[in-house]
Protein backbone atom coordinates (compact mmCIF):
# COMPACT_ATOMS: atom_id res chain seq x y z
CA UNK A 1 0.00 0.00 0.00
CA UNK A 2 1.41 3.39 -0.97
CA UNK A 3 0.47 6.14 1.47
CA UNK A 4 0.75 9.89 0.96
CA UNK A 5 2.17 11.19 4.22
CA UNK A 6 4.82 13.91 3.78
CA UNK A 7 5.46 14.34 7.50
CA UNK A 8 6.14 10.65 8.16
CA UNK A 9 7.92 9.84 4.91
CA UNK A 10 10.29 12.78 5.24
CA UNK A 11 11.05 12.35 8.95
CA UNK A 12 11.19 8.59 9.47
CA UNK A 13 14.30 6.45 9.74
CA UNK A 14 14.75 2.82 8.74
CA UNK A 15 13.41 0.47 11.41
CA UNK A 16 10.65 2.75 12.66
CA UNK A 17 7.00 1.87 12.40
CA UNK A 18 3.55 3.42 12.16
CA UNK A 19 0.55 2.55 14.28
CA UNK A 20 -2.39 2.24 11.95
CA UNK A 21 -6.02 2.91 12.80
CA UNK A 22 -7.86 0.37 10.71
CA UNK A 23 -11.18 2.18 10.31
CA UNK A 24 -13.84 4.29 11.96
CA UNK A 25 -15.65 1.44 13.72
CA UNK A 26 -14.71 -0.09 17.07
CA UNK A 27 -13.82 -3.41 15.46
CA UNK A 28 -10.90 -3.71 15.59
CA UNK A 29 -10.54 -1.36 18.51
CA UNK A 30 -6.74 -1.30 18.64
CA UNK A 31 -4.38 0.11 16.05
CA UNK A 32 -2.01 -2.28 14.27
CA UNK A 33 1.77 -1.71 14.04
CA UNK A 34 3.38 -1.88 10.58
CA UNK A 35 6.98 -1.19 9.62
CA UNK A 36 7.61 1.82 7.45
CA UNK A 37 8.62 0.47 4.06
CA UNK A 38 10.65 2.30 1.41
CA UNK A 39 9.83 6.01 1.14
CA UNK A 40 9.77 8.10 -2.00
CA UNK A 41 9.37 11.83 -1.43
CA UNK A 42 6.01 12.40 0.20
CA UNK A 43 5.01 8.73 -0.09
CA UNK A 44 5.75 5.67 2.00
CA UNK A 45 5.03 2.01 1.41
CA UNK A 46 3.32 -0.36 3.84
CA UNK A 47 3.81 -4.00 2.93
CA UNK A 48 1.81 -6.51 4.93
CA UNK A 49 0.36 -9.99 4.96
CA UNK A 50 -3.29 -10.52 5.86
CA UNK A 51 -3.28 -12.19 9.28
CA UNK A 52 -6.62 -11.31 10.82
CA UNK A 53 -9.36 -8.70 10.82
CA UNK A 54 -7.13 -5.62 10.91
CA UNK A 55 -4.90 -6.45 7.96
CA UNK A 56 -7.92 -7.86 6.07
CA UNK A 57 -9.78 -4.54 6.32
CA UNK A 58 -6.59 -2.66 5.47
CA UNK A 59 -6.09 -4.78 2.35
CA UNK A 60 -9.54 -3.71 1.12
CA UNK A 61 -8.82 0.03 1.16
CA UNK A 62 -9.24 1.77 -2.18
CA UNK A 63 -7.13 4.45 -3.86
CA UNK A 64 -8.10 7.79 -2.35
CA UNK A 65 -9.23 6.36 1.00
CA UNK A 66 -7.86 8.13 4.09
CA UNK A 67 -6.07 6.23 6.84
CA UNK A 68 -5.02 7.48 10.25
CA UNK A 69 -1.38 6.78 11.14
CA UNK A 70 0.64 7.62 14.24
CA UNK A 71 4.33 7.76 13.49
CA UNK A 72 7.16 7.52 12.97
CA UNK A 73 7.42 5.46 16.18
CA UNK A 74 10.21 3.48 17.83
CA UNK A 75 13.97 3.50 17.63
CA UNK A 76 15.52 3.06 14.18
CA UNK A 77 18.45 0.92 13.06
CA UNK A 78 21.89 2.35 13.80
CA UNK A 79 23.51 2.96 10.44
CA UNK A 80 26.86 1.25 9.84
CA UNK A 81 30.03 3.25 9.28
CA UNK A 82 31.85 2.98 5.96
CA UNK A 83 34.37 0.40 7.18
CA UNK A 84 31.80 -2.20 8.25
CA UNK A 85 30.13 -4.88 6.13
CA UNK A 86 26.36 -4.70 6.67
CA UNK A 87 24.41 -7.93 6.18
CA UNK A 88 20.63 -7.60 6.03
CA UNK A 89 18.73 -10.77 6.92
CA UNK A 90 14.96 -10.90 6.56
CA UNK A 91 12.50 -13.68 7.24
CA UNK A 92 9.17 -13.53 5.40
CA UNK A 93 7.36 -10.23 5.87
CA UNK A 94 10.17 -9.20 8.25
CA UNK A 95 11.95 -8.00 5.13
CA UNK A 96 10.02 -4.70 5.15
CA UNK A 97 12.20 -2.56 7.48
CA UNK A 98 15.29 -3.98 5.78
CA UNK A 99 14.11 -2.69 2.40
CA UNK A 100 14.01 0.79 3.92
CA UNK A 101 17.44 0.26 5.50
CA UNK A 102 18.82 -0.99 2.19
CA UNK A 103 17.92 2.38 0.66
CA UNK A 104 20.29 4.06 3.16
CA UNK A 105 23.22 1.65 2.87
CA UNK A 106 25.57 1.19 -0.02
CA UNK A 107 26.70 -2.34 -0.86
CA UNK A 108 24.87 -4.38 1.78
CA UNK A 109 24.66 -8.15 1.50
CA UNK A 110 20.93 -8.88 1.55
CA UNK A 111 19.48 -12.31 2.39
CA UNK A 112 15.80 -13.19 2.52
CA UNK A 113 14.23 -16.43 3.76
CA UNK A 114 10.79 -17.58 2.64
CA UNK A 115 8.84 -20.81 2.97
CA UNK A 116 8.60 -21.33 -0.79
CA UNK A 117 8.61 -19.52 -4.15
CA UNK A 118 4.88 -18.90 -3.81
CA UNK A 119 5.34 -17.03 -0.52
CA UNK A 120 7.89 -14.46 -1.68
CA UNK A 121 7.42 -11.19 0.19
CA UNK A 122 9.30 -9.09 -2.39
CA UNK A 123 8.59 -9.17 -6.12
CA UNK A 124 11.18 -10.57 -8.47
CA UNK A 125 12.13 -7.25 -10.07
CA UNK A 126 12.96 -5.80 -6.63
CA UNK A 127 14.91 -8.94 -5.72
CA UNK A 128 17.06 -8.49 -8.82
CA UNK A 129 17.38 -4.73 -8.45
CA UNK A 130 18.53 -4.99 -4.83
CA UNK A 131 20.60 -8.15 -5.39
CA UNK A 132 18.75 -10.11 -2.70
CA UNK A 133 19.79 -13.75 -2.19
CA UNK A 134 16.83 -15.98 -1.43
CA UNK A 135 16.64 -19.07 0.77
CA UNK A 136 13.51 -21.21 0.73
CA UNK A 137 12.52 -23.91 3.20
CA UNK A 138 11.30 -26.22 0.42
CA UNK A 139 14.11 -25.42 -2.04
CA UNK A 140 11.70 -24.10 -4.68
CA UNK A 141 13.75 -20.91 -5.10
CA UNK A 142 17.35 -20.01 -4.29
CA UNK A 143 19.24 -21.74 -1.49
CA UNK A 144 17.61 -24.93 -0.21
CA UNK A 145 17.31 -24.29 3.52
CA UNK A 146 16.53 -21.49 5.91
CA UNK A 147 18.05 -18.03 5.80
CA UNK A 148 20.23 -18.57 8.89
CA UNK A 149 21.81 -21.57 7.17
CA UNK A 150 22.34 -19.39 4.10
CA UNK A 151 24.02 -16.79 6.32
CA UNK A 152 26.32 -19.47 7.80
CA UNK A 153 27.23 -20.60 4.28
CA UNK A 154 27.90 -17.00 3.24
CA UNK A 155 30.12 -16.55 6.32
CA UNK A 156 32.45 -19.27 5.06
CA UNK A 157 33.47 -16.94 2.23
CA UNK A 158 34.72 -14.30 4.66
CA UNK A 159 38.11 -14.37 6.38
CA UNK A 160 38.37 -13.95 10.15
CA UNK A 161 39.32 -10.28 9.82
CA UNK A 162 36.44 -9.60 7.44
CA UNK A 163 33.99 -11.31 9.80
CA UNK A 164 34.86 -8.77 12.48
CA UNK A 165 33.56 -6.01 10.18
CA UNK A 166 30.15 -7.60 9.70
CA UNK A 167 27.10 -5.98 11.25
CA UNK A 168 23.90 -7.99 10.98
CA UNK A 169 20.53 -6.26 10.70
CA UNK A 170 17.62 -8.67 10.95
CA UNK A 171 13.87 -8.93 11.21
CA UNK A 172 11.82 -12.09 11.04
CA UNK A 173 9.98 -14.74 13.03
CA UNK A 174 11.23 -15.52 16.54
CA UNK A 175 12.77 -18.97 15.77
CA UNK A 176 14.86 -17.31 13.05
CA UNK A 177 15.95 -14.51 15.38
CA UNK A 178 16.94 -16.98 18.12
CA UNK A 179 19.02 -19.08 15.68
CA UNK A 180 20.60 -15.96 14.18
CA UNK A 181 21.49 -14.51 17.57
CA UNK A 182 23.25 -17.76 18.42
CA UNK A 183 25.29 -17.79 15.16
CA UNK A 184 26.27 -14.14 15.64
CA UNK A 185 27.35 -14.82 19.23
CA UNK A 186 29.44 -17.81 18.06
CA UNK A 187 31.40 -15.62 15.61
CA UNK A 188 31.34 -12.46 17.80
CA UNK A 189 29.34 -10.62 15.13
CA UNK A 190 27.45 -7.48 16.10
CA UNK A 191 23.73 -7.86 15.40
CA UNK A 192 20.75 -5.54 15.55
CA UNK A 193 17.39 -7.27 15.66
CA UNK A 194 14.04 -5.66 14.92
CA UNK A 195 11.54 -7.44 17.14
CA UNK A 196 7.79 -7.86 16.85
CA UNK A 197 5.44 -8.02 19.80
CA UNK A 198 1.69 -7.65 20.08
CA UNK A 199 1.07 -3.95 20.72
CA UNK A 200 -1.86 -2.01 22.11
CA UNK A 201 -0.86 1.64 22.58
CA UNK A 202 2.39 1.72 20.57
CA UNK A 203 3.79 4.58 22.66
CA UNK A 204 4.98 3.10 25.95
CA UNK A 205 1.85 3.47 28.05
CA UNK A 206 0.21 0.03 28.30
CA UNK A 207 3.25 -2.25 28.93
CA UNK A 208 1.88 -4.93 26.59
CA UNK A 209 4.92 -5.33 24.34
CA UNK A 210 7.69 -6.52 26.63
CA UNK A 211 10.93 -8.36 25.92
CA UNK A 212 13.15 -9.53 28.76
CA UNK A 213 16.46 -7.68 29.32
CA UNK A 214 19.53 -9.90 28.94
CA UNK A 215 21.96 -7.94 31.11
CA UNK A 216 19.68 -6.74 33.90
CA UNK A 217 16.44 -7.52 35.66
CA UNK A 218 13.23 -6.42 34.00
CA UNK A 219 11.91 -5.78 30.55
CA UNK A 220 12.22 -3.45 27.59
CA UNK A 221 9.18 -2.11 25.79
CA UNK A 222 9.40 -3.09 22.13
CA UNK A 223 7.39 -0.05 21.01
CA UNK A 224 9.50 2.51 22.84
CA UNK A 225 12.93 0.98 23.55
CA UNK A 226 12.81 -0.90 20.21
CA UNK A 227 11.70 -2.34 17.92
CA UNK A 228 15.43 -2.45 17.07
CA UNK A 229 17.67 -3.90 19.78
CA UNK A 230 21.31 -4.89 20.06
CA UNK A 231 21.03 -8.70 20.10
CA UNK A 232 23.16 -8.89 23.24
CA UNK A 233 20.71 -6.74 25.19
CA UNK A 234 17.61 -8.91 24.85
CA UNK A 235 16.70 -12.41 25.93
CA UNK A 236 14.65 -13.98 23.16
CA UNK A 237 12.03 -16.56 24.02
CA UNK A 238 10.21 -18.90 21.59
C1 LIG B 1 6.94 -3.08 15.09
C2 LIG B 1 6.11 -4.01 14.23
C3 LIG B 1 6.20 -3.91 12.86
C4 LIG B 1 5.43 -4.77 12.05
N1 LIG B 1 5.55 -4.64 10.70
C5 LIG B 1 4.81 -5.45 9.91
C6 LIG B 1 4.88 -5.29 8.48
O1 LIG B 1 5.60 -4.44 7.96
N2 LIG B 1 4.11 -6.12 7.72
C7 LIG B 1 3.30 -7.08 8.29
O2 LIG B 1 2.64 -7.82 7.54
N3 LIG B 1 3.21 -7.23 9.63
C8 LIG B 1 3.93 -6.43 10.44
N4 LIG B 1 3.81 -6.55 11.81
C9 LIG B 1 2.85 -7.54 12.33
C10 LIG B 1 1.45 -6.93 12.27
O3 LIG B 1 1.37 -5.87 13.20
C11 LIG B 1 0.40 -7.99 12.62
O4 LIG B 1 0.41 -9.01 11.61
C12 LIG B 1 -0.97 -7.34 12.64
O5 LIG B 1 -1.07 -6.49 13.76
C13 LIG B 1 -2.05 -8.39 12.72
O6 LIG B 1 -3.27 -7.70 12.85
P1 LIG B 1 -4.62 -8.36 12.38
O7 LIG B 1 -5.75 -7.59 12.93
O8 LIG B 1 -4.61 -8.61 10.90
O9 LIG B 1 -4.56 -9.80 13.04
P2 LIG B 1 -5.15 -10.19 14.46
O10 LIG B 1 -6.59 -10.56 14.26
O11 LIG B 1 -4.81 -9.18 15.48
O12 LIG B 1 -4.29 -11.48 14.71
C14 LIG B 1 -4.31 -12.58 13.77
C15 LIG B 1 -3.26 -13.59 14.20
O13 LIG B 1 -1.96 -12.98 14.07
C16 LIG B 1 -1.26 -13.04 15.32
N5 LIG B 1 -0.49 -11.81 15.46
C17 LIG B 1 -0.95 -10.56 15.69
N6 LIG B 1 0.05 -9.68 15.81
C18 LIG B 1 1.20 -10.41 15.66
C19 LIG B 1 2.58 -10.10 15.71
N7 LIG B 1 3.04 -8.86 15.95
N8 LIG B 1 3.47 -11.10 15.53
C20 LIG B 1 3.05 -12.35 15.30
N9 LIG B 1 1.75 -12.72 15.25
C21 LIG B 1 0.85 -11.76 15.44
C22 LIG B 1 -2.35 -13.14 16.36
O14 LIG B 1 -1.86 -13.76 17.54
C23 LIG B 1 -3.39 -13.99 15.67
O15 LIG B 1 -3.05 -15.35 15.76
C24 LIG B 1 4.57 -5.74 12.64
C25 LIG B 1 4.49 -5.82 14.03
C26 LIG B 1 5.27 -4.99 14.82
C27 LIG B 1 5.18 -5.09 16.30
S1 LIG C 1 2.42 -1.16 23.02
FE1 LIG C 1 1.85 -0.13 24.83
S2 LIG C 1 3.71 -0.06 25.93
FE2 LIG C 1 4.30 -0.93 24.02
Amino acid sequence: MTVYSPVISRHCQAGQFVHVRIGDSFNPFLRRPLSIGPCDGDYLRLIFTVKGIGTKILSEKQPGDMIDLIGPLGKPFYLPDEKSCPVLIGGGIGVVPLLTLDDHIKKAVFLLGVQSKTSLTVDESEINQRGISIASDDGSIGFNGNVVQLFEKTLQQWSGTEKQKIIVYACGPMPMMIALKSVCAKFSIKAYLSLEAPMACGVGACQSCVVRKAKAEGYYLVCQDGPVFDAQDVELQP
Side-chain angles (χ1 to χ4, degrees):
M1 175 184 286
T2 302
V3 183
Y4 174 77
S5 177
V7 173
I8 296 177
S9 67
R10 291 189 183 276
H11 292 92
C12 66
Q13 297 173 64
Q16 291 186 297
F17 65 98
V18 286
H19 217 197
V20 185
R21 187 170 176 201
I22 301 301
D24 294 331
S25 84
F26 285 112
N27 186 22
F29 181 67
L30 297 172
R31 290 172 180 263
R32 298 294 192 261
L34 291 176
S35 299
I36 299 174
C39 297
D40 184 6
D42 291 342
Y43 295 86
L44 60 92
R45 267 165 72 199
L46 301 178
I47 308 170
F48 55 91
T49 48
V50 173
K51 279 264 177 75
I53 183 170
T55 44
K56 167 105 178 33
I57 294 173
L58 212 52
S59 73
E60 291 163 353
K61 300 282 182 194
Q62 298 298 316
D65 283 355
M66 303 279 281
I67 56 170
D68 177 337
L69 308 180
I70 299 176
L73 297 174
K75 300 237 167 34
F77 288 111
Y78 300 91
L79 295 182
D81 62 33
E82 285 186 359
K83 290 182 195 147
S84 51
C85 304
V87 180
L88 281 45
I89 305 179
I93 199 68
V95 71
V96 180
L98 303 176
L99 296 172
T100 316
L101 182 63
D102 187 49
D103 288 341
H104 293 273
I105 295 181
K106 298 280 171 281
K107 287 194 232 156
V109 172
F110 200 155
L111 313 177
L112 168 62
V114 293
Q115 286 176 343
S116 74
K117 190 175 182 181
T118 52
S119 55
L120 275 175
T121 43
V122 182
D123 67 35
E124 292 202 28
S125 62
E126 194 156 6
I127 289 170
N128 294 333
Q129 184 209 324
R130 293 180 184 272
I132 302 176
S133 301
I134 305 290
S136 57
D137 296 342
D138 66 359
S140 56
I141 181 168
F143 174 80
N144 186 355
N146 68 45
V147 74
V148 181
Q149 292 166 335
L150 174 59
F151 175 53
E152 286 184 286
K153 189 177 167 228
T154 311
L155 276 180
Q156 291 167 9
Q157 298 159 13
W158 272 303
S159 69
T161 327
E162 284 170 332
K163 280 196 191 82
Q164 300 313 311
K165 295 184 188 167
I166 295 174
I167 302 181
V168 162
Y169 296 89
C171 184
M174 193 50 85
M176 171 196 138
M177 302 294 250
I178 291 171
L180 186 60
K181 181 178 168 176
S182 156
V183 171
C184 291
K186 183 171 150 195
F187 292 100
S188 302
I189 292 171
K190 186 91 181 153
Y192 291 104
L193 309 178
S194 178
L195 301 183
E196 283 193 11
M199 289 183 183
C201 73
V203 292
C206 71
Q207 314 282 300
S208 72
C209 61
V210 292
V211 58
R212 194 183 285 273
K213 293 181 181 177
K215 294 177 181 166
E217 287 293 306
Y219 297 87
Y220 291 113
L221 297 176
V222 173
C223 69
Q224 199 172 48
D225 303 315
V228 177
F229 293 93
D230 185 323
Q232 293 181 347
D233 290 343
V234 285
E235 192 180 308
L236 303 181
Q237 288 169 329

